[in-house]
Amino acid sequence: MKVSEPLMKVSSMETVDPLIAAHRLQDEGGQTPPAALRERIEQACAQACQAIAPAWPLDRAIAVNPHWSRIGMPVRRVAARMAVLGGIQVFPGRAYLQQAWEEQRITAEDLRCALAELPAARAAGLAPERCVSELKQTQSLPTLPLLIDVLDDDPQRQKRLSWRSAVTHQVSQTCAAYFDQQQADWQPLRQQGLYAFWRDTITHDHGIGMLMGLPHLGRSLNALPQTREEAEQWVLQRLGLPEAVWADYLEAVLLTVNGWASWGAYLGWQAQLEGGTDGHLRDLLAIRLAWGAVLLECKDNAAARRAFAALQAQWGQAAERLEQAEQALLIDEVWQRALEVGYQRELALKLGMAAGASAALAKTASTAPFEVQAAFCIDVRSERMRRALEAAWPGVQTLGFAGFFGLPVAYTPLATVARRPQLPGLLAPAIEVTDCVLSNDDDPVDSAAQGAAAQARQERFAQGRPWQAASRWPGAAFSFVETAGFAYLGKVGQWLRPKATERAQDDLDGVPVRLRPLCRPALMGLDTAAKVSLAGKVLHAMGLEQYLAPLVLLVGHGSQSENNAQAAALDCGACCGQTGEVNARALARLLNEAAVRDGLRAQGLNIPAATRFVAALHNTTTDELEGLDLDLLPPEAQRRWQSLQPVLAQASDQVRRERAPSLGVDPLLPFAPLLAQLRRRASDGAQTRPEWGLAGNAAFVIGPRHRTQGVVLDGRSFLHDYDASQDPDGSVLELLMTAPMLVTHWINWQYHASTCDPQHLGSGNKVLHNVVGGQIGVFEGNGGDLRIGLSRQSLHDGQRWQHEPLRLTVVIDAPQAAIERVIGAHRVVRDLLDHGWLHLWRYEGDTLLRYTPEGWLALDWA
């Protein structure tokens, strides 16, 4: 097909005759566009798809910054784009900020500091009085329509479902059917891809036209292109938009189905980790584009002419509208910064108070003969427990380390194919872990017992399949409810009258009870040399090369809740929604292995003979600490563990009392009733807020423990131990700034986005959730787009937000040159800092300095 020059180059002042544009393909015989045009269309589509961040499935939930693919732009520019292209809010709402101002959460001094700090605010001459005045005004930002919006101009449209809503619903239902591989017994044919499946589905859907007020919609479906590529080319050429805005228009199209677009981005992310590609996101883009073209066919020439004229006129001003929105959002950026200054002022004060005692604490840490060391995940919920343990007994030293404990593993439970990653989503697993039946640490695998356990589990699963399938057979649906009623009554009764039960071990479900204590996760396929290398790297990264206590706890964490589709999001916000149990147990066994210790000793790393590593799990819903594989410990280590129990009980009780008020629980309850109350919450199927997860997270401290020891950080800070003196080449610092720092940024921004725009970037009301595809995600109700992010109940207590939308403040105790070397070597770190996605401080002695693109500045407001 030969495309005329006016269609290819449309300036903001030019328009293409809509009727000519609408029928150019037909007039020219539907010929293929030239290669150069196809290449530009391909680039625009790829650019739009690259702007979408992935969303992990429910059973592998990872907190993600939904703007991750946009961090190459300043935050305010991204906020403008999201507002104009998708009606999405990035900064906190003005009503929230107004309340913070009136309650003195933001002070006049905070506002003054924010204005002084932001170059754009200084250049604009913004005064505090104007900021306060603007805060009371309803914000109105420009938006840009899509073809479907300008076509939906029927005077009777208020009496039916809007075309945008109807199309979103239809596309979403199609995706739910196509991607489901677990929930439905009747599976669709997927060989031809998502676009072909949708095309076939829509031509047989006789109800969608009635919902849209288009009873003759089926006639227009004959115009649908056969392939995704044809659909993209067909639509972009018909629109007649300036080529400069193609990618923006396509991104806006994807934002109408952002949930499913995020799922497509996840499939592409996983394929890339495995060295491949995935085309589902492009298929989704073509589907959503094609819908606009189909609706165009439903309009007469006059309506088509009006629609094209309106679309071209508004998108011809896209650059101006984006700039206008970016300027308007300067006030919101100032208030965002003022909110953060208020928190940072308090954080700096607390860290400064610790500085006076830091030298003494540092000396004690290097010389004290600790009886126990406990390595916790850097998760903010560990901060309270670490502080409580240290207060309960000076003989305990706590450490912070990434909760996958440096093991890049995937775990497959015994006799299943349910392989799951147990590491941050930024990484791909390199080692396999599976369950082995081991009677003690030195015995080989008991093959007979392992075979019996596997067979028993498979038989148990097989017995349950007909019962589960019966509930989904169409002809048996109503009779199943009647016959199964009493069987389900017991489950419902447990939810209505929850018991104070301990955490269930789902990974061992179906394994004979007598074999469960012997069924342990073990690293597979590694020879002794590989194990020694892995152990050495982990101990180096954890800073455990110089001193090891007789008992070293590796404390993972996991949550406990019932009837909760988003339960995995409460386990680990980084490690694919898994608890730290598997990694802790596998690492403890590795470090206790005699051959591994001999290999480490040969390399100059000596683990004392009396030292034993013990896996443990911190239940973050009830704040209990559970020891694992204790039967593998020698008698002396078991005695040490038993003597530690009063300390663990005291620390756990202290943490429960700190958390109780935010949960609506009386903190003055005696020990046993308080624990029972939290256990009942964990077993209550009607409980929408079993715990607050990582709500409130605001800071990440990378440095030795003495920088934060004794400081009450209120469960809002990630803490990773790091000693720059033991990292002369800066390799550990580089790892921390390119892995844990990025992970904590993802967590921080998922909570930020779900709070600032719960409608588009949160998952809505948890009570209305319906699981899609077994584990893909949730609908809020029975349709609409796939919801991503956190539910309202995970952020709001019914009266107030429990999470403050603050960008993460990272505090590093390391030399300036080492930090700047990492920033210079990694574009992603540089983008996060220079474009305002997080804040970075460093220690200069006991003084804190903040990073700016122009250099390090003192915290003059602290």
Side-chain angles (χ1 to χ4, degrees), residues 238-255:
R238 299 185 84 181
L239 292 177
L241 296 177
E243 187 174 336
V245 303
W246 282 2
D248 291 343
Y249 183 87
L250 296 173
E251 185 177 347
V253 167
L254 284 174
L255 288 175

Side-chain angles (χ1 to χ4, degrees), residues 18 147 150-151 153 296 302-312:
L147 176 60
V150 295
L151 287 173
D153 61 354
L296 180 64
R305 185 175 288 110
R306 289 194 303 272
F308 273 112
L311 191 72
Q312 292 172 359

Side-chain angles (χ1 to χ4, degrees), residues 252-562:
V253 167
L254 284 174
L255 288 175
T256 66
V257 283
N258 185 55
W260 284 111
S262 300
W263 174 252
Y266 163 75
L267 296 177
W269 181 286
Q270 294 302 111
Q272 188 174 9
L273 283 179
E274 297 170 3
T277 60
D278 184 272
H280 286 104
L281 182 53
R282 285 289 294 273
D283 278 357
L284 180 64
L285 174 59
I287 290 168
R288 189 58 184 77
L289 281 172
W291 250 118
V294 167
L295 293 174
L296 180 64
E297 296 293 327
C298 298
K299 290 288 188 175
D300 59 29
N301 289 343
R305 185 175 288 110
R306 289 194 303 272
F308 273 112
L311 191 72
Q312 292 172 359
Q314 296 201 49
W315 277 89
Q317 301 173 5
E320 291 85 348
R321 294 196 179 188
L322 288 167
E323 176 64 24
Q324 179 186 349
E326 190 170 348
Q327 291 299 322
L329 285 165
L330 178 57
I331 296 288
D332 300 80
E333 184 178 30
V334 169
W335 282 106
Q336 167 79 82
R337 186 68 195 107
L339 186 69
E340 292 160 350
V341 169
Y343 167 76
Q344 289 178 338
R345 191 188 306 277
E346 180 182 352
L347 176 65
L349 179 63
K350 289 182 175 181
L351 295 178
M353 292 173 63
S358 63
L361 287 170
K363 183 177 181 180
T364 301
S366 62
T367 60
F370 293 108
E371 292 291 321
V372 175
Q373 290 170 310
F376 284 81
C377 178
I378 64 175
D379 188 285
V380 295
R381 291 166 290 184
S382 299
E383 184 270 326
R384 283 190 170 105
M385 185 62 75
R386 291 182 62 184
R387 175 165 38 88
L389 272 175
E390 292 164 347
W393 186 32
V396 175
Q397 179 190 31
T398 73
L399 306 132
F401 188 66
F404 74 113
F405 295 106
L407 299 185
V409 302
Y411 167 60
T412 304
L414 178 68
T416 73
V417 293
R419 181 179 182 268
R420 68 184 192 227
Q422 296 269 155
L423 75 172
L426 293 166
L427 309 173
I431 302 172
E432 299 298 321
V433 171
T434 192
D435 292 319
C436 297
V437 176
L438 302 164
S439 58
N440 65 60
D441 198 31
D442 297 322
D443 284 351
V445 175
D446 188 333
S447 300
Q450 178 136 342
Q455 182 177 355
R457 186 173 216 187
Q458 290 170 345
E459 290 175 353
R460 177 74 175 271
F461 288 165
Q463 291 169 4
R465 289 190 191 106
W467 177 261
Q468 295 168 0
S471 66
R472 300 195 298 267
W473 292 335
F478 293 104
S479 60
F480 178 83
V481 172
E482 294 179 359
T483 57
F486 285 105
Y488 276 91
L489 191 60
K491 185 72 172 177
V492 173
Q494 292 176 18
W495 291 347
L496 293 176
R497 296 179 62 85
K499 299 179 180 179
T501 56
E502 295 182 357
R503 183 183 65 92
Q505 293 183 303
D506 294 335
D507 287 337
L508 299 179
D509 185 34
V511 174
V513 175
R514 64 182 178 83
L515 293 177
R516 289 186 187 186
L518 306 180
C519 197
R520 316 178 199 273
L523 298 167
M524 307 301 292
L526 298 182
D527 59 21
T528 300
K531 289 181 179 180
V532 170
S533 175
L534 178 61
K537 291 176 181 177
V538 171
L539 291 174
H540 175 64
M542 295 176 73
L544 289 177
E545 296 171 296
Q546 304 303 313
Y547 175 81
L548 284 166
L551 200 65
V552 182
L553 309 185
L554 305 174
V555 189
H557 64 91
S559 184
Q560 180 183 350
S561 59
E562 288 284 345

Side-chain angles (χ1 to χ4, degrees), residues 41-42 45-46 49 178 192-199 224-236 250 277-290:
I41 291 174
E42 170 69 24
C45 292
C49 290
Y178 177 85
Q192 301 303 313
L194 176 60
Y195 178 82
F197 174 75
W198 168 80
R199 191 175 184 278
L224 277 173
Q226 292 287 331
T227 67
R228 175 186 81 192
E229 293 77 13
E230 291 173 355
E232 294 168 344
Q233 295 160 13
W234 184 57
V235 174
L236 271 180
L250 296 173
T277 60
D278 184 272
H280 286 104
L281 182 53
R282 285 289 294 273
D283 278 357
L284 180 64
L285 174 59
I287 290 168
R288 189 58 184 77
L289 281 172

Side-chain angles (χ1 to χ4, degrees), residues 583-594:
N583 298 59
R585 294 175 72 186
L587 180 60
R589 186 166 179 270
L590 173 72
L591 296 175
N592 286 332
E593 192 172 319

Side-chain angles (χ1 to χ4, degrees), residues 1 21-31 234 237-238:
M1 170 185 172
H23 295 286
R24 179 167 283 142
L25 277 178
Q26 288 84 341
D27 293 344
E28 300 190 9
Q31 299 175 19
W234 184 57
Q237 291 180 99
R238 299 185 84 181

